[in-house]
Amino acid sequence: MRSVEFRQRARLRSSASTSALAVGGLALLLGMAAPALGQNAAAPAVSGEPGMLEEIIVTGIRRSLEQALSAKRDAAQVLDAISAEDVGKFPDKNIGEALQRITGVQISRTNGEGATVSIRGADPSLNRVEVNGTSALSTTVGGGRDVDFRDMPVEFINRLEVVKSVTPEMTEGGLGGTVRIITRRPFDSDEPFVAGSLQTIWSETAEKFDPKAAIIGGTTLANDTVGVVLGATYENRHVSTHEARTTGWRQIGDLNGNGIKEFAPDIPRYVINRLETERVALNGAVEWRPTDTFSLGIDGNYAKGKQDVDSQFLQFATAGSESLVDKSKTTVGPDNTVSHIEFVNDPKLAQGQQLTGSYRNILGTLTRTQWNTAINSKWEATENLTLTARGSYAHARAFNDEINAVGDVIGLSRLVVDYTNSKHAPDIRVNFDPTTPAGLNQLTLSHKPRINDQDEWDGKFDAEYKFDDGFITAVKAGVEIRNLTADSRYYSSSNVLNGFTNPSLLGKIQQIVGSNATLGDVPFFKTGSLGFDPSITRWLNLGNGVVEAGGLLDPYGSPQYLDSWEVEDKNRAGYVQASFAFDALVPVSGVVGVRAVNTRTTSKGYSQNKSATGVITYAPVEYNGEYTKYLPALNLKFDLIPEKLQGRLTATKVLARPTPQQLAPRRTLDTVGYTGSRGNPDLKPYEATQYDAGLEYYLNRTDFFSATYFRKEISSFIQNTTVPEVVDGFTYGVVIPSNGTEKVTINGLEAGVQYGLGFLPAPFNNMGVIANYTFSDDSGYQGMDKFTGEKLSFIGLSRNSYNLSAYYEDEAFSARVSYNWRSKYLITASGRGGNPEFGEAFGQLDGSVSYNVTDQYSVFLEAVNILDATRVENANSDYRRTIFDTFGRRIYAGVRARF
């Protein structure tokens, strides 16, 4: 066993309540508890007192597994957990990437990093995320409810929990599940400590070494009645991903004369994304425990991620137009999809219809800021009655200060896109040199800042009474008031130099681009595989130098009223629940109760009015809505074999609210692809009734086997429908959310094992395995491929997923290797061109090793995406692939210390 130490420790009565406190309840508790504080001061523990036990404390991987097992076994709900191996040492480098190790959880990656999670097939926006009980809000550009985990450091975390069934005391909103992020608490350690790490990160795609540092410390003061824990992290990273994309596949006409319309590529493009990301995070908590029966604490968390963006595109506006296709040199492959296509320009067409190649850079900054703070208190007023109160505030901001620089070659003579390679990736071939500004005849410089803010105030008060006898062991009731405000402000300006219609500007365009453009820093798709070697590896990079030379217009004088809005949720909830325990054929325990929640929504925005003379004005609009829902819950546990075999049965009702963006009276349009979207203030929440039936067999403190059948029946389903809308003479396909009548049912099985190989001879007895598998099947979803009539699976649901991990750990050395895999999943039922779009099956191998140099110092090496996996998406056919995304390997090397 690694790092096993023996200590004499007094076992004090533990505070087990996890309920939060309302601001009004805090004053009540302080006032009622004050007279007792001086009378009930705890005497210091004396060595040799009764109740002193010799306790083995295990650190490292086995400690992590032991704590995760304990959380799972003791929970009233269906729950899985991952615990830190030591202070500041978590099994993964990212919260999202850690959560994917849990059964039923799949992650979505952004630029190669785990960003959001789906639970049991539910979209990330349908899950609730809490940090020490306080809501984590969304930093999604545009206004969502999904939580991005990339900026939250793992070094502060003590444990992650995914709660899949609910009890009435839990705040509603997690239709898929609730993710609990539990950081280090002030009294977690008996002794003062300081722990930290210094490391460097190598990104294979960016070809950069970057720094990361973390420190966390804690101590107790005032005769151990005050506990303090503080932490900070800093990271500067160069994130780089390369993409070969076919933005959409449009059915344009019969290209080979067989009477069937074929699919042709729309906007094939190559992309190099460069994001220099600076992340700063702070964590702190102070708790006062003057007696064994009273505590008062305040905690806070802050995280900020600022990305300097330089995404470099080479793209071609084909618009799926049959008129530009050279049919004599175009071939059609399987699935009525072109395998080789050539476009020839027609100079007689209008500017917007001619074959166009574009150098495009998305520049500017994207800043995500999130912080929360909470005041909480707990008072055990009597041996039976416990009162808790909590008041919290959470804030999130996404500031996308986007700048676009686009240089167009309008009237490109010929374009070839070949898909006959082994992976059916777009092999783009041109008859001009993309490393020079030759042929550029239009330059557009745009500034499009968007600011999304979310703020939530939450107050909660709970009372629990424990009975000394009888089968009802406790009754708990509480109220919660929670107000969320989300808004979006969008501005836009463009500076256009059109040399196509005004040739006198050609010289200026050539001078601006020729004197300031670069070719980027690395060749295209240097990691991963496209099935061919690209003939285009570098092209013009219209970076900040081009923007500064061409000049931007002030966007803040041009607010985009139709995409500026505010949505407010006012939630009032109350609940009552009873805990019980009795003996039938076996001991049975559980929690039963109901939660009632009333929600009032206010959606504010603007409507567009056009006078008879063509003058456009905007008028404020406001919509109001209200609904009340009742959410019963039953969670049962059966001790089939005491301390060994445990059974579970649950039946619960849950809901998840629409995103603010869906509720907002807004409208956005894409003038290139003639698509758009708008909100619907009349939306009601998703609702689901869910069931679990599980068995958990515990072999010892670290090893277990488990299997759980789950069923989730989702109603009040919000579905997107595309309708034609004419705007300024052009017809757009506009996506509108609405509550459908369809009901989606997801049935699934989760199985997991955590097993140490201690029965093997040394040194193999230091090894162990962790594995889990999730099967999910859906029915009732009405989405179909509009071209084939094929029934589609529920959005975001992988039928199969699994995780495999193996570890080795002795007193000095530890190693872990993990592989995560998920099968294909639906991204959208109707993407660009009308095809459904899927994420293809994806697997990733990660690993880590560490060595304890001394009792205080260790060195480590960790690798992410060891096999250099490439993420792929398609338009419902392997021959219509839309995205090849490579992000390469990441290597972390550093030193940890603890004192």
Side-chain angles (χ1 to χ4, degrees), residues 550-742:
L552 291 173
L553 301 179
D554 180 13
Y556 294 101
S558 303
Q560 302 301 294
Y561 289 101
L562 294 183
D563 202 9
S564 296
W565 46 265
E566 180 183 282
V567 172
E568 183 177 14
D569 285 344
K570 291 183 178 180
N571 303 296
R572 306 292 183 263
Y575 75 91
V576 61
Q577 66 182 47
S579 300
F580 55 87
F582 58 86
D583 288 332
L585 297 176
V586 296
V588 179
S589 62
V591 178
V592 64
V594 65
R595 184 179 185 90
V597 57
N598 172 265
T599 299
R600 296 181 180 181
T601 62
T602 301
S603 301
K604 300 177 182 179
Y606 296 88
S607 65
Q608 178 178 292
N609 303 302
K610 191 172 184 179
S611 69
T613 59
V615 176
I616 295 176
T617 58
Y618 299 91
V621 294
E622 180 176 316
Y623 302 89
N624 295 291
E626 182 178 3
Y627 53 85
T628 299
K629 301 293 181 181
Y630 298 92
L631 308 174
L634 172 65
N635 290 263
L636 295 173
K637 289 201 296 187
F638 305 87
D639 288 332
L640 303 175
I641 302 176
E643 305 298 325
K644 288 290 184 181
L645 182 61
Q646 181 171 275
R648 291 185 186 268
L649 289 174
T650 77
T652 58
K653 189 170 183 179
V654 293
L655 64 77
R657 297 177 178 87
T659 68
Q661 187 181 45
Q662 290 175 318
L663 288 166
R666 60 168 192 87
R667 186 183 72 191
T668 60
L669 298 174
D670 175 4
T671 57
V672 176
Y674 296 107
T675 59
S677 65
R678 61 180 174 89
N680 180 358
D682 294 326
L683 287 176
K684 298 298 187 290
Y686 291 85
E687 296 181 64
T689 302
Q690 55 188 22
Y691 309 91
D692 296 270
L695 290 173
E696 301 161 5
Y697 186 72
Y698 297 96
L699 288 82
N700 50 48
R701 293 167 63 179
T702 60
D703 300 345
F704 72 88
F705 297 89
S706 69
T708 301
Y709 162 78
F710 66 88
R711 179 181 176 89
K712 193 180 295 286
E713 300 171 351
I714 305 173
S715 60
S716 297
F717 194 84
I718 297 174
Q719 58 191 19
N720 290 328
T721 56
T722 302
V723 299
E725 291 191 0
V726 178
V727 181
D728 296 332
F730 295 95
T731 301
Y732 292 80
V734 178
V735 176
I736 303 173
S738 60
N739 289 106
T741 57
E742 64 186 275

Side-chain angles (χ1 to χ4, degrees), residues 449-601:
R450 182 192 294 272
I451 304 169
N452 289 103
D453 283 315
Q454 294 192 7
D455 298 273
E456 181 181 280
W457 293 91
D458 186 8
K460 190 176 182 186
F461 181 79
D462 305 270
E464 182 178 31
Y465 189 86
K466 296 180 180 179
F467 297 93
D468 295 324
D469 49 38
F471 78 94
I472 295 181
T473 59
V475 172
K476 190 174 184 179
V479 293
E480 183 175 14
I481 298 174
R482 191 160 57 97
N483 292 341
L484 171 72
T485 301
D487 63 52
S488 181
R489 287 157 285 161
Y490 183 45
Y491 308 87
S492 180
S493 67
S494 294
N495 181 13
V496 181
L497 301 177
N498 190 337
F500 182 82
T501 58
N502 185 1
S504 65
L505 294 174
L506 290 175
K508 183 177 181 179
I509 294 171
Q510 293 288 325
Q511 190 276 327
I512 292 173
V513 176
S515 300
N516 297 282
T518 66
L519 294 180
D521 49 358
V522 295
F524 178 64
F525 234 87
K526 62 182 294 290
T527 59
S529 174
L530 289 173
F532 67 95
D533 294 325
S535 59
I536 301 174
T537 59
R538 293 183 187 271
W539 59 90
L540 286 180
N541 183 35
L542 308 188
N544 288 311
V546 172
V547 173
E548 292 171 3
L552 291 173
L553 301 179
D554 180 13
Y556 294 101
S558 303
Q560 302 301 294
Y561 289 101
L562 294 183
D563 202 9
S564 296
W565 46 265
E566 180 183 282
V567 172
E568 183 177 14
D569 285 344
K570 291 183 178 180
N571 303 296
R572 306 292 183 263
Y575 75 91
V576 61
Q577 66 182 47
S579 300
F580 55 87
F582 58 86
D583 288 332
L585 297 176
V586 296
V588 179
S589 62
V591 178
V592 64
V594 65
R595 184 179 185 90
V597 57
N598 172 265
T599 299
R600 296 181 180 181
T601 62

Side-chain angles (χ1 to χ4, degrees), residues 800-873:
N800 299 284
S801 64
Y802 63 82
N803 297 276
L804 300 173
S805 296
Y807 66 87
Y808 175 92
E809 184 177 49
D810 60 30
E811 293 182 356
F813 178 79
S814 67
R816 183 197 295 257
V817 61
S818 300
Y819 184 75
N820 172 268
W821 182 89
R822 67 181 298 187
S823 60
K824 76 171 186 177
Y825 58 97
L826 180 66
I827 298 171
T828 178
S830 181
R832 196 181 190 99
N835 284 290
E837 295 179 355
F838 287 86
E840 297 191 9
F842 181 84
Q844 181 170 298
L845 180 69
D846 307 323
S848 64
V849 295
S850 67
Y851 178 75
N852 298 325
V853 181
T854 69
D855 289 342
Q856 287 78 37
Y857 293 95
S858 63
V859 293
F860 62 90
L861 181 69
E862 303 177 4
V864 178
N865 193 24
I866 295 172
L867 301 180
D868 190 21
T870 299
R871 191 179 64 85
V872 182
E873 298 177 10

